[in-house]
């Protein structure tokens, strides 16, 4: 019996944002929140009902305590949080400025040398590898520095060897590493991956794959034995209005799954909506072992995350089930929850 359904590995950061649509260069105040791709995934899956944990390293300070408390509040286990009590311990920060057409949202990172980049394999207890059904990490963790990459690659190998499923979100960030370097490292990871999340743009540009989208998705399954390949489709009409759907290819039944898009999503904060998608898909896959259900949970969880301020999702199973039901309803839908 596994203690966890899902364990993730990644850096957790402090997110500072000027209130409303104020500019970073002008505002006097910042809203303080916790954020980080793999924490967002663990939190979203926990809200839906999975038992999740996160492996990360935080400074042994009041800021580290703030993050730990947020993790617990989200229902994510802090059993595998590590603490850095050295003199130069630090929490990575990023600043986020909301956009309003024609001004795009923007981000400034201040994360170099954070405590997470000093994580070591020796600090991670051996029993973790057999304690979860699935392990998830992303290209962001691989890109941060050589040490975090080496640790992540070894964790992928050890979890896989112990029988866990491996989920990987390519999540390519051009400001963290070059396309050539990313491609080389990710091609090393792909043979271990069971569930892959990759955008069409990343597949074509960074991974240099060609052909129709369906051929590209099938190619990952064929070349690397990936079970599920997931690609989101977001149409940005303006910073505040998006349409969203996705496509999933399942190699087990050699079939593509999709559904009509969620249209005219009111975008309050799009940061973390990709991670929310991952959490919904992984929940649907681990709970129901059904690609279509995984797709529906992914699309609904991602779409509603756009309406929530901050990185972290805030929708539980009941809310998401209701959103899926409304999305698939024909006829009039009540506009109030009461």
């Amino acid at each position: 019996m596994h203690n966890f359904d899902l364990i993730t590995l990644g850096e957790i950061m402090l997110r500072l944002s000027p209130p409303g649509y104020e500019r970073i260069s002008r505002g006097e105040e910042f809203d303080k929140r916790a954020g980080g791709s793999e924490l967002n995934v663990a939190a979203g899956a926990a809200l839906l009902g999975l038992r999740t944990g996160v492996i990360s390293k935080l400074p042994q300070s009041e800021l580290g305590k703030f993050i730990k408390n947020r993790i617990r509040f989200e229902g994510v286990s802090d059993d595998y949080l590590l603490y850095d009590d050295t003199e130069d311990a630090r929490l990575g920060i990023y600043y986020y400025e909301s956009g309003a057409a024609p001004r795009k949202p923007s981000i400034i990172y201040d994360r170099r040398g954070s405590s997470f980049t000093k994580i070591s394999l020796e600090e991670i207890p051996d029993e973790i590898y057999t304690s979860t059904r699935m392990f998830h990490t992303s290209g962001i963790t691989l890109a941060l520095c050589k040490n975090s990459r080496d640790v992540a690659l070894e964790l992928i190998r050890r979890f896989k060897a112990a029988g866990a499923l491996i989920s990987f979100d390519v999540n390519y960030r051009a400001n963290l590493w070059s396309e050539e370097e990313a491609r080389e490292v990710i091609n090393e990871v792909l043979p271990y991956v069971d569930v892959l999340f990759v955008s069409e743009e990343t597949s074509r540009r960074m991974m240099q794959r060609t052909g129709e989208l369906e051929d590209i998705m099938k190619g990952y399954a064929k070349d690397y034995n990936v079970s599920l390949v997931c690609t989101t489709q977001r149409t940005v009409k303006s910073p505040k209005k998006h349409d969203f759907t996705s496509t999933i290819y399942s190699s087990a039944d050699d079939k593509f799954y999709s559904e009509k898009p969620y249209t005219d999503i009111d975008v309050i904060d799009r940061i973390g909506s990709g991670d929310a998608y991952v959490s919904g898909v992984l929940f649907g896959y681990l709970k129901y072992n059904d690609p279509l259900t995984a797709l529906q949970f992914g699309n609904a969880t991602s779409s509603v995350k756009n309406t929530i301020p901050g990185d972290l999702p805030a929708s539980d199973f009941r809310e998401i089930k209701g959103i899926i039901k409304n999305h698939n309803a024909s006829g009039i839908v009540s506009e109030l929850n009461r």
Side-chain angles (χ1 to χ4, degrees):
M1 178 68 184
H2 295 112
N3 296 335
F4 294 95
D5 297 304
L6 176 68
I7 287 177
T8 70
L9 165 78
E11 181 179 19
I12 303 165
M13 302 173 73
L14 187 69
R15 165 179 155 162
L16 300 175
S17 323
Y21 292 92
E22 185 55 276
R23 314 231 44 178
I24 289 170
S25 59
R26 281 191 1 157
E28 305 282 328
E29 299 169 12
F30 286 114
D31 178 43
K32 163 172 148 266
R33 295 178 183 267
S37 179
E38 292 89 351
L39 171 61
N40 299 341
V41 171
L47 280 163
L48 291 170
L50 295 186
R51 290 162 302 163
T52 72
V54 62
I55 306 166
S56 197
K57 191 165 189 175
L58 302 172
Q60 188 79 269
S61 68
E62 295 304 303
L63 283 176
K65 196 185 290 180
F66 167 72
I67 299 291
K68 179 185 77 174
N69 291 342
R70 288 306 310 171
I71 291 168
R72 287 178 165 178
F73 180 81
E74 296 294 328
V76 176
S77 168
D78 64 342
D79 286 5
Y80 300 111
L81 280 184
L82 307 166
Y83 294 94
D84 180 2
D85 58 5
T86 60
E87 256 178 41
D88 56 354
R90 79 171 294 231
L91 187 66
I93 298 169
Y94 82 92
Y95 299 85
Y96 175 70
E97 178 180 293
S98 294
R103 173 164 62 93
K104 291 181 178 175
S106 63
I107 288 179
I108 298 169
Y109 286 104
D110 176 16
R111 70 197 303 181
R112 194 164 290 135
S114 70
S115 293
F116 178 76
T117 62
K118 296 181 283 186
I119 195 168
S120 71
L121 278 167
E122 293 70 42
E123 298 174 285
I124 299 167
D126 285 341
E127 86 270 359
I128 195 172
Y129 304 111
T130 52
S131 70
T132 186
R133 293 168 63 198
M134 179 179 274
F135 172 69
H136 171 84
T137 192
S138 80
I140 294 173
T141 300
L142 297 178
L144 286 177
C145 66
K146 185 183 183 303
N147 180 58
S148 67
R149 178 180 312 167
D150 292 346
V151 169
L153 290 171
E154 185 55 31
L155 285 180
I156 288 168
R157 291 187 196 104
R158 290 185 187 186
F159 275 108
K160 185 78 172 183
L165 294 167
I166 303 297
S167 164
F168 183 70
D169 184 358
V170 175
N171 221 340
Y172 177 66
R173 296 282 191 272
N175 64 354
L176 290 176
W177 55 349
S178 70
E179 290 186 5
E180 295 69 35
E181 192 182 8
R183 187 164 54 250
E184 190 183 323
V185 173
I186 285 161
N187 281 330
E188 205 183 314
V189 168
L190 286 171
Y192 298 94
V193 175
D194 298 289
V195 183
L196 176 68
F197 298 87
V198 59
S199 72
E200 181 175 1
E201 183 190 20
T202 294
S203 286
R204 292 187 188 283
R205 284 184 55 180
M206 188 273 284
M207 296 299 291
Q208 293 187 339
R209 300 225 153 202
T210 55
E212 295 296 313
L213 176 61
E214 293 196 345
D215 298 330
I216 290 172
M217 293 175 74
K218 241 181 171 169
Y220 290 116
K222 193 166 96 270
D223 297 347
Y224 298 105
N225 206 22
V226 177
S227 302
L228 226 57
V229 183
C230 314
T231 298
T232 60
Q233 283 103 27
R234 179 193 295 268
T235 306
V236 178
K237 297 173 171 176
S238 81
K240 292 198 188 74
K241 278 278 180 270
H242 296 183
D243 294 351
F244 182 86
T245 187
S246 66
T247 303
I248 290 181
Y249 173 69
S250 165
S251 62
D253 45 14
D254 186 23
K255 195 171 160 188
F256 287 91
Y257 296 86
S258 198
E259 67 172 348
K260 65 181 182 185
Y262 284 79
T263 55
D264 293 327
I265 297 164
D266 281 320
V267 181
I268 306 296
D269 188 338
R270 72 171 281 181
I271 302 286
S273 59
D275 304 323
Y277 175 77
V278 172
S279 71
V281 169
L282 296 184
F283 168 77
Y285 188 58
L286 288 169
K287 176 89 176 170
Y288 301 102
N289 193 27
D290 174 50
L292 179 60
T293 307
L295 175 105
Q296 290 174 330
F297 271 93
N299 288 348
T301 305
S302 179
S303 297
V304 75
K305 166 58 198 75
N306 286 282
T307 70
I308 309 291
D311 278 44
L312 291 158
S315 301
D316 61 12
F317 177 80
R318 192 171 161 204
E319 181 175 29
I320 297 300
K321 274 298 271 188
I323 286 166
I324 293 169
K325 187 179 167 196
N326 286 348
H327 185 61
N328 293 316
S330 51
I332 296 165
V333 175
S334 167
E335 93 263 20
L336 262 186
N337 283 331
R338 62 179 176 190

